[in-house]
Amino acid sequence: MRRISLFDTTLRDGEQSPGVNLNVKEKLEIARQLERLGMDVIEAGFPASSNSDLLAVQEIAKTVKNSSITGLARSVKGDIDAAWEALKYSEEPRIHVFLATSPIHMKYKLNKTPDQVIETAVNAVQYAAKYFPVIQWSAEDACRSELPFLAKIVEEVIAAGAKIINIPDTVGYITPKEYGEIFKYLQQNVKGIENITLSSHCHDDLGMAVANALAAIENGVNQIEGTINGLGERAGNTALEELAVALHIRNDYYNATTGLVLNEIKRTSDLVSNLTGMIVPANKAVVGKNAFAHEAGIHQDGVLKEKTTYEIISPELVGVTTNSMVLGKHSGRHAFKARLVELGYSLSDEELNKMFKAFKELTETKKEITDEDLKALMLEEKVATNDNGYELESLQVQFGTAQIPTATISLKTKDGEIIQEASTGAGSVEAIYNTLERCIGTTIQLTDYRIQSNTSGRDALAQVYVKVKIGDGEASGRGVAQDVLEASAKAYINAVNRCTIVPEKLGAI
């Protein structure tokens, strides 16, 4: 059975989803989970895009040892130098270099002739070879490129030292049959292609990313690029969890497998969703909350008699379980730590002390603490940082059906200054956000606001996700609290803090 390598770009292409901005701690947490999931290659970021991205890639390269770490670079020396600075600590330093090859990109974006594009690509690969033992080269917008030119440039970069050739459907335009034919053409017309790994990178603009990736596998491709939950530019990328489960369930047809630990899929999906603020649709394949739900009477009857009548994927296969340990006010530090370890978290003694204190505080108001509560507490710790801006000191809201909602808020700046303001609004949340805007002293546009509970019950924790825009900067934020208004304030402040560190997003493949 063929072994398909999976290349995860959640931390690069996934983070380029509008409004998504992960800090270094969050990126590292996702990278560790991707390592536990068994991902072969993790594209940790775009080191040249910002100093924060370089530092994040560097930290991941130093920490993650069981997955190969890579970073994206344009075909310029500065990008390659930045990538080496970030990735030289990796167990297997590799770089992902790209250049556009379609007529429309060469003419309007690059302003280069085809010969100049080939020269640029070859020079970039040769320069990268001075540092990196593994070079992946991508033809941006390959699927709208002229096949003879695509074959020519691929042959040249292979001769220059590229070990992996990636053929991206950058704009999600191609169909499965057409995509497969591109790989057939290259295998028939490129000298030396038998000695390299062919790779697929598909976008989902027409809803065919997973189908196209599977077509690529049928046509000799041994590496698939994608993201968890299908995150990415515009409509997103190939959802790697869907692809891996499809190969597992239909191994009779594809005769191919991956190295993913399938029962880590749900945990990985939840972590990515919570940290990015990108909610997984209920009807999403494999990881949506309705993926294993049956409402129609005929379906329920069939499943009760024999699960396989309507379930081709067992919930346990992907890590979906209804069994969760319940902790409470009498639970000790050992049980608390043991459960966090079982959930996949690793904590220092300092982090454990802080989390245990937060856990004990929660038990004063919530009788039973579930796994979802623990995950929420952990994720709140990941985003609750004052390194980049403001921290909520106190919040008071006055509301009544016969009075105007009023919020009074105290914020602490990173320099320790306390700012106090009050304002009104048509509702309590608007009053809070109007007050925060006055505290911060700049115009802030709220572009999205979503609220959900992490579990059922009146005492469930509220999780609020927002997106804000300040000038040209846009970022998402997340807040968790038992009180909806407190969670709303925390989410808004978290987004504002992130807006000051949004990296420049230089492009994608």
Side-chain angles (χ1 to χ4, degrees), residues 46-50 54 57-58 72-73 76-88 95 127 131-132:
F46 196 158
S49 67
S50 68
L54 189 152
V57 175
Q58 190 177 79
L72 189 68
V76 296
K77 289 184 177 180
D79 279 26
I80 295 168
D81 290 339
W84 176 246
E85 182 62 31
L87 293 160
K88 61 186 179 183
I95 189 171
Y127 184 73
Y131 302 105
F132 293 91

PDB file of all heavy atoms in Angstrom, residues 46-50 54 57-58 72-73 76-88 95 127 131-132:
ATOM      1  N   PHE A  46       5.621  31.974   7.323  1.00  0.00           N
ATOM      2  CA  PHE A  46       6.249  32.703   6.217  1.00  0.00           C
ATOM      3  C   PHE A  46       7.281  33.631   6.862  1.00  0.00           C
ATOM      4  O   PHE A  46       6.985  34.787   7.160  1.00  0.00           O
ATOM      5  CB  PHE A  46       5.154  33.501   5.503  1.00  0.00           C
ATOM      6  CG  PHE A  46       5.496  34.011   4.136  1.00  0.00           C
ATOM      7  CD1 PHE A  46       4.469  34.323   3.251  1.00  0.00           C
ATOM      8  CD2 PHE A  46       6.804  34.196   3.724  1.00  0.00           C
ATOM      9  CE1 PHE A  46       4.749  34.809   1.982  1.00  0.00           C
ATOM     10  CE2 PHE A  46       7.100  34.676   2.466  1.00  0.00           C
ATOM     11  CZ  PHE A  46       6.063  34.979   1.589  1.00  0.00           C
ATOM     12  N   PRO A  47       8.487  33.136   7.156  1.00  0.00           N
ATOM     13  CA  PRO A  47       9.430  33.876   7.993  1.00  0.00           C
ATOM     14  C   PRO A  47       9.717  35.304   7.549  1.00  0.00           C
ATOM     15  O   PRO A  47       9.931  36.183   8.391  1.00  0.00           O
ATOM     16  CB  PRO A  47      10.700  33.013   7.924  1.00  0.00           C
ATOM     17  CG  PRO A  47      10.199  31.635   7.684  1.00  0.00           C
ATOM     18  CD  PRO A  47       9.008  31.810   6.776  1.00  0.00           C
ATOM     19  N   ALA A  48       9.723  35.564   6.252  1.00  0.00           N
ATOM     20  CA  ALA A  48      10.055  36.914   5.772  1.00  0.00           C
ATOM     21  C   ALA A  48       8.902  37.897   5.928  1.00  0.00           C
ATOM     22  O   ALA A  48       9.095  39.106   5.763  1.00  0.00           O
ATOM     23  CB  ALA A  48      10.480  36.865   4.305  1.00  0.00           C
ATOM     24  N   SER A  49       7.704  37.408   6.262  1.00  0.00           N
ATOM     25  CA  SER A  49       6.543  38.296   6.305  1.00  0.00           C
ATOM     26  C   SER A  49       6.575  39.237   7.493  1.00  0.00           C
ATOM     27  O   SER A  49       6.052  40.348   7.436  1.00  0.00           O
ATOM     28  CB  SER A  49       5.245  37.489   6.316  1.00  0.00           C
ATOM     29  OG  SER A  49       5.117  36.751   7.522  1.00  0.00           O
ATOM     30  N   SER A  50       7.181  38.810   8.608  1.00  0.00           N
ATOM     31  CA  SER A  50       7.257  39.661   9.791  1.00  0.00           C
ATOM     32  C   SER A  50       8.233  39.034  10.776  1.00  0.00           C
ATOM     33  O   SER A  50       8.513  37.828  10.718  1.00  0.00           O
ATOM     34  CB  SER A  50       5.885  39.815  10.459  1.00  0.00           C
ATOM     35  OG  SER A  50       5.476  38.586  11.031  1.00  0.00           O
ATOM     36  N   LEU A  54       8.793  35.009  11.874  1.00  0.00           N
ATOM     37  CA  LEU A  54      10.112  34.379  11.902  1.00  0.00           C
ATOM     38  C   LEU A  54      10.367  33.729  13.263  1.00  0.00           C
ATOM     39  O   LEU A  54      10.829  32.588  13.344  1.00  0.00           O
ATOM     40  CB  LEU A  54      11.198  35.408  11.581  1.00  0.00           C
ATOM     41  CG  LEU A  54      12.628  34.872  11.361  1.00  0.00           C
ATOM     42  CD1 LEU A  54      13.406  35.789  10.424  1.00  0.00           C
ATOM     43  CD2 LEU A  54      13.405  34.722  12.667  1.00  0.00           C
ATOM     44  N   VAL A  57       8.226  30.523  13.667  1.00  0.00           N
ATOM     45  CA  VAL A  57       8.777  29.399  12.912  1.00  0.00           C
ATOM     46  C   VAL A  57      10.032  28.869  13.601  1.00  0.00           C
ATOM     47  O   VAL A  57      10.243  27.656  13.720  1.00  0.00           O
ATOM     48  CB  VAL A  57       9.089  29.813  11.460  1.00  0.00           C
ATOM     49  CG1 VAL A  57       9.778  28.669  10.704  1.00  0.00           C
ATOM     50  CG2 VAL A  57       7.815  30.224  10.727  1.00  0.00           C
ATOM     51  N   GLN A  58      10.859  29.773  14.078  1.00  0.00           N
ATOM     52  CA  GLN A  58      12.094  29.392  14.772  1.00  0.00           C
ATOM     53  C   GLN A  58      11.802  28.575  16.026  1.00  0.00           C
ATOM     54  O   GLN A  58      12.434  27.542  16.282  1.00  0.00           O
ATOM     55  CB  GLN A  58      12.873  30.656  15.124  1.00  0.00           C
ATOM     56  CG  GLN A  58      14.274  30.429  15.639  1.00  0.00           C
ATOM     57  CD  GLN A  58      14.984  31.752  15.877  1.00  0.00           C
ATOM     58  OE1 GLN A  58      14.744  32.407  16.894  1.00  0.00           O
ATOM     59  NE2 GLN A  58      15.832  32.152  14.946  1.00  0.00           N
ATOM     60  N   LEU A  72       7.657  29.085   4.121  1.00  0.00           N
ATOM     61  CA  LEU A  72       7.462  29.561   2.750  1.00  0.00           C
ATOM     62  C   LEU A  72       8.419  30.708   2.437  1.00  0.00           C
ATOM     63  O   LEU A  72       8.767  31.498   3.317  1.00  0.00           O
ATOM     64  CB  LEU A  72       6.019  30.031   2.571  1.00  0.00           C
ATOM     65  CG  LEU A  72       5.570  30.356   1.139  1.00  0.00           C
ATOM     66  CD1 LEU A  72       5.519  29.089   0.290  1.00  0.00           C
ATOM     67  CD2 LEU A  72       4.206  31.036   1.145  1.00  0.00           C
ATOM     68  N   ALA A  73       8.841  30.792   1.178  1.00  0.00           N
ATOM     69  CA  ALA A  73       9.711  31.888   0.745  1.00  0.00           C
ATOM     70  C   ALA A  73       9.424  32.216  -0.715  1.00  0.00           C
ATOM     71  O   ALA A  73       9.220  31.314  -1.534  1.00  0.00           O
ATOM     72  CB  ALA A  73      11.185  31.503   0.904  1.00  0.00           C
ATOM     73  N   VAL A  76      13.312  35.132  -3.763  1.00  0.00           N
ATOM     74  CA  VAL A  76      14.249  36.244  -3.550  1.00  0.00           C
ATOM     75  C   VAL A  76      15.178  35.872  -2.403  1.00  0.00           C
ATOM     76  O   VAL A  76      14.794  35.156  -1.478  1.00  0.00           O
ATOM     77  CB  VAL A  76      13.509  37.570  -3.236  1.00  0.00           C
ATOM     78  CG1 VAL A  76      12.666  38.020  -4.418  1.00  0.00           C
ATOM     79  CG2 VAL A  76      12.631  37.430  -2.003  1.00  0.00           C
ATOM     80  N   LYS A  77      16.415  36.374  -2.468  1.00  0.00           N
ATOM     81  CA  LYS A  77      17.416  35.986  -1.480  1.00  0.00           C
ATOM     82  C   LYS A  77      17.003  36.359  -0.055  1.00  0.00           C
ATOM     83  O   LYS A  77      17.254  35.605   0.893  1.00  0.00           O
ATOM     84  CB  LYS A  77      18.761  36.624  -1.832  1.00  0.00           C
ATOM     85  CG  LYS A  77      19.425  36.016  -3.061  1.00  0.00           C
ATOM     86  CD  LYS A  77      20.804  36.625  -3.310  1.00  0.00           C
ATOM     87  CE  LYS A  77      21.486  35.953  -4.503  1.00  0.00           C
ATOM     88  NZ  LYS A  77      22.833  36.535  -4.759  1.00  0.00           N
ATOM     89  N   GLY A  78      16.383  37.529   0.118  1.00  0.00           N
ATOM     90  CA  GLY A  78      15.990  37.961   1.457  1.00  0.00           C
ATOM     91  C   GLY A  78      15.030  36.993   2.125  1.00  0.00           C
ATOM     92  O   GLY A  78      15.157  36.698   3.322  1.00  0.00           O
ATOM     93  N   ASP A  79      14.076  36.470   1.366  1.00  0.00           N
ATOM     94  CA  ASP A  79      13.130  35.494   1.906  1.00  0.00           C
ATOM     95  C   ASP A  79      13.834  34.195   2.282  1.00  0.00           C
ATOM     96  O   ASP A  79      13.545  33.588   3.322  1.00  0.00           O
ATOM     97  CB  ASP A  79      12.033  35.198   0.879  1.00  0.00           C
ATOM     98  CG  ASP A  79      10.937  36.245   0.861  1.00  0.00           C
ATOM     99  OD1 ASP A  79      11.218  37.393   1.236  1.00  0.00           O
ATOM    100  OD2 ASP A  79       9.802  35.918   0.467  1.00  0.00           O
ATOM    101  N   ILE A  80      14.753  33.764   1.438  1.00  0.00           N
ATOM    102  CA  ILE A  80      15.475  32.517   1.695  1.00  0.00           C
ATOM    103  C   ILE A  80      16.372  32.660   2.918  1.00  0.00           C
ATOM    104  O   ILE A  80      16.465  31.749   3.750  1.00  0.00           O
ATOM    105  CB  ILE A  80      16.274  32.108   0.444  1.00  0.00           C
ATOM    106  CG1 ILE A  80      15.308  31.791  -0.709  1.00  0.00           C
ATOM    107  CG2 ILE A  80      17.174  30.906   0.739  1.00  0.00           C
ATOM    108  CD1 ILE A  80      15.958  31.650  -2.068  1.00  0.00           C
ATOM    109  N   ASP A  81      17.019  33.821   3.053  1.00  0.00           N
ATOM    110  CA  ASP A  81      17.853  34.075   4.234  1.00  0.00           C
ATOM    111  C   ASP A  81      17.015  34.039   5.514  1.00  0.00           C
ATOM    112  O   ASP A  81      17.425  33.474   6.529  1.00  0.00           O
ATOM    113  CB  ASP A  81      18.546  35.427   4.104  1.00  0.00           C
ATOM    114  CG  ASP A  81      19.632  35.448   3.034  1.00  0.00           C
ATOM    115  OD1 ASP A  81      20.128  34.362   2.675  1.00  0.00           O
ATOM    116  OD2 ASP A  81      19.967  36.548   2.539  1.00  0.00           O
ATOM    117  N   ALA A  82      15.836  34.670   5.455  1.00  0.00           N
ATOM    118  CA  ALA A  82      14.946  34.682   6.627  1.00  0.00           C
ATOM    119  C   ALA A  82      14.490  33.266   6.972  1.00  0.00           C
ATOM    120  O   ALA A  82      14.414  32.885   8.149  1.00  0.00           O
ATOM    121  CB  ALA A  82      13.743  35.586   6.367  1.00  0.00           C
ATOM    122  N   ALA A  83      14.200  32.483   5.942  1.00  0.00           N
ATOM    123  CA  ALA A  83      13.769  31.101   6.174  1.00  0.00           C
ATOM    124  C   ALA A  83      14.884  30.288   6.836  1.00  0.00           C
ATOM    125  O   ALA A  83      14.631  29.496   7.752  1.00  0.00           O
ATOM    126  CB  ALA A  83      13.350  30.457   4.858  1.00  0.00           C
ATOM    127  N   TRP A  84      16.123  30.491   6.388  1.00  0.00           N
ATOM    128  CA  TRP A  84      17.234  29.753   7.000  1.00  0.00           C
ATOM    129  C   TRP A  84      17.436  30.169   8.456  1.00  0.00           C
ATOM    130  O   TRP A  84      17.682  29.325   9.321  1.00  0.00           O
ATOM    131  CB  TRP A  84      18.517  29.971   6.212  1.00  0.00           C
ATOM    132  CG  TRP A  84      19.714  29.320   6.856  1.00  0.00           C
ATOM    133  CD1 TRP A  84      20.801  29.926   7.405  1.00  0.00           C
ATOM    134  CD2 TRP A  84      19.920  27.912   7.041  1.00  0.00           C
ATOM    135  NE1 TRP A  84      21.668  28.998   7.927  1.00  0.00           N
ATOM    136  CE2 TRP A  84      21.148  27.749   7.723  1.00  0.00           C
ATOM    137  CE3 TRP A  84      19.178  26.776   6.716  1.00  0.00           C
ATOM    138  CZ2 TRP A  84      21.653  26.506   8.062  1.00  0.00           C
ATOM    139  CZ3 TRP A  84      19.673  25.526   7.065  1.00  0.00           C
ATOM    140  CH2 TRP A  84      20.901  25.400   7.721  1.00  0.00           C
ATOM    141  N   GLU A  85      17.319  31.455   8.729  1.00  0.00           N
ATOM    142  CA  GLU A  85      17.465  31.936  10.099  1.00  0.00           C
ATOM    143  C   GLU A  85      16.428  31.284  11.009  1.00  0.00           C
ATOM    144  O   GLU A  85      16.713  30.964  12.171  1.00  0.00           O
ATOM    145  CB  GLU A  85      17.316  33.457  10.143  1.00  0.00           C
ATOM    146  CG  GLU A  85      17.493  34.084  11.508  1.00  0.00           C
ATOM    147  CD  GLU A  85      18.883  33.852  12.100  1.00  0.00           C
ATOM    148  OE1 GLU A  85      19.854  33.746  11.327  1.00  0.00           O
ATOM    149  OE2 GLU A  85      18.995  33.765  13.334  1.00  0.00           O
ATOM    150  N   ALA A  86      15.242  31.054  10.488  1.00  0.00           N
ATOM    151  CA  ALA A  86      14.168  30.452  11.286  1.00  0.00           C
ATOM    152  C   ALA A  86      14.275  28.942  11.368  1.00  0.00           C
ATOM    153  O   ALA A  86      13.936  28.338  12.397  1.00  0.00           O
ATOM    154  CB  ALA A  86      12.812  30.830  10.700  1.00  0.00           C
ATOM    155  N   LEU A  87      14.772  28.302  10.307  1.00  0.00           N
ATOM    156  CA  LEU A  87      14.667  26.848  10.191  1.00  0.00           C
ATOM    157  C   LEU A  87      15.966  26.092  10.416  1.00  0.00           C
ATOM    158  O   LEU A  87      15.960  24.862  10.427  1.00  0.00           O
ATOM    159  CB  LEU A  87      14.117  26.491   8.804  1.00  0.00           C
ATOM    160  CG  LEU A  87      12.668  26.910   8.567  1.00  0.00           C
ATOM    161  CD1 LEU A  87      12.360  26.970   7.079  1.00  0.00           C
ATOM    162  CD2 LEU A  87      11.717  25.944   9.266  1.00  0.00           C
ATOM    163  N   LYS A  88      17.063  26.787  10.630  1.00  0.00           N
ATOM    164  CA  LYS A  88      18.352  26.099  10.763  1.00  0.00           C
ATOM    165  C   LYS A  88      18.419  25.212  12.002  1.00  0.00           C
ATOM    166  O   LYS A  88      19.292  24.347  12.112  1.00  0.00           O
ATOM    167  CB  LYS A  88      19.498  27.104  10.770  1.00  0.00           C
ATOM    168  CG  LYS A  88      19.460  28.108  11.915  1.00  0.00           C
ATOM    169  CD  LYS A  88      20.560  29.149  11.729  1.00  0.00           C
ATOM    170  CE  LYS A  88      20.542  30.203  12.840  1.00  0.00           C
ATOM    171  NZ  LYS A  88      21.574  31.255  12.610  1.00  0.00           N
ATOM    172  N   ILE A  95      12.929  24.035   2.854  1.00  0.00           N
ATOM    173  CA  ILE A  95      12.352  25.319   2.465  1.00  0.00           C
ATOM    174  C   ILE A  95      11.337  25.092   1.360  1.00  0.00           C
ATOM    175  O   ILE A  95      11.461  24.150   0.566  1.00  0.00           O
ATOM    176  CB  ILE A  95      13.445  26.316   2.000  1.00  0.00           C
ATOM    177  CG1 ILE A  95      12.846  27.722   1.814  1.00  0.00           C
ATOM    178  CG2 ILE A  95      14.135  25.833   0.726  1.00  0.00           C
ATOM    179  CD1 ILE A  95      13.891  28.794   1.568  1.00  0.00           C
ATOM    180  N   TYR A 127      20.340  29.074  -4.909  1.00  0.00           N
ATOM    181  CA  TYR A 127      20.730  29.814  -3.704  1.00  0.00           C
ATOM    182  C   TYR A 127      20.258  29.085  -2.450  1.00  0.00           C
ATOM    183  O   TYR A 127      21.007  28.951  -1.473  1.00  0.00           O
ATOM    184  CB  TYR A 127      20.148  31.225  -3.751  1.00  0.00           C
ATOM    185  CG  TYR A 127      20.584  32.098  -2.603  1.00  0.00           C
ATOM    186  CD1 TYR A 127      21.878  32.608  -2.544  1.00  0.00           C
ATOM    187  CD2 TYR A 127      19.706  32.415  -1.571  1.00  0.00           C
ATOM    188  CE1 TYR A 127      22.289  33.403  -1.483  1.00  0.00           C
ATOM    189  CE2 TYR A 127      20.102  33.209  -0.509  1.00  0.00           C
ATOM    190  CZ  TYR A 127      21.392  33.708  -0.471  1.00  0.00           C
ATOM    191  OH  TYR A 127      21.804  34.487   0.578  1.00  0.00           O
ATOM    192  N   TYR A 131      21.969  26.269   1.650  1.00  0.00           N
ATOM    193  CA  TYR A 131      21.582  26.127   3.046  1.00  0.00           C
ATOM    194  C   TYR A 131      20.792  24.854   3.325  1.00  0.00           C
ATOM    195  O   TYR A 131      21.029  24.160   4.317  1.00  0.00           O
ATOM    196  CB  TYR A 131      20.726  27.312   3.485  1.00  0.00           C
ATOM    197  CG  TYR A 131      21.366  28.670   3.338  1.00  0.00           C
ATOM    198  CD1 TYR A 131      20.988  29.537   2.327  1.00  0.00           C
ATOM    199  CD2 TYR A 131      22.349  29.096   4.234  1.00  0.00           C
ATOM    200  CE1 TYR A 131      21.552  30.795   2.199  1.00  0.00           C
ATOM    201  CE2 TYR A 131      22.928  30.349   4.116  1.00  0.00           C
ATOM    202  CZ  TYR A 131      22.527  31.201   3.088  1.00  0.00           C
ATOM    203  OH  TYR A 131      23.099  32.432   2.969  1.00  0.00           O
ATOM    204  N   PHE A 132      19.811  24.563   2.464  1.00  0.00           N
ATOM    205  CA  PHE A 132      18.801  23.555   2.780  1.00  0.00           C
ATOM    206  C   PHE A 132      19.044  22.231   2.065  1.00  0.00           C
ATOM    207  O   PHE A 132      19.235  22.216   0.849  1.00  0.00           O
ATOM    208  CB  PHE A 132      17.400  24.072   2.402  1.00  0.00           C
ATOM    209  CG  PHE A 132      16.924  25.232   3.225  1.00  0.00           C
ATOM    210  CD1 PHE A 132      17.180  26.538   2.823  1.00  0.00           C
ATOM    211  CD2 PHE A 132      16.230  25.027   4.404  1.00  0.00           C
ATOM    212  CE1 PHE A 132      16.745  27.618   3.583  1.00  0.00           C
ATOM    213  CE2 PHE A 132      15.787  26.099   5.162  1.00  0.00           C
ATOM    214  CZ  PHE A 132      16.048  27.392   4.759  1.00  0.00           C
TER     215      PHE A 132
END
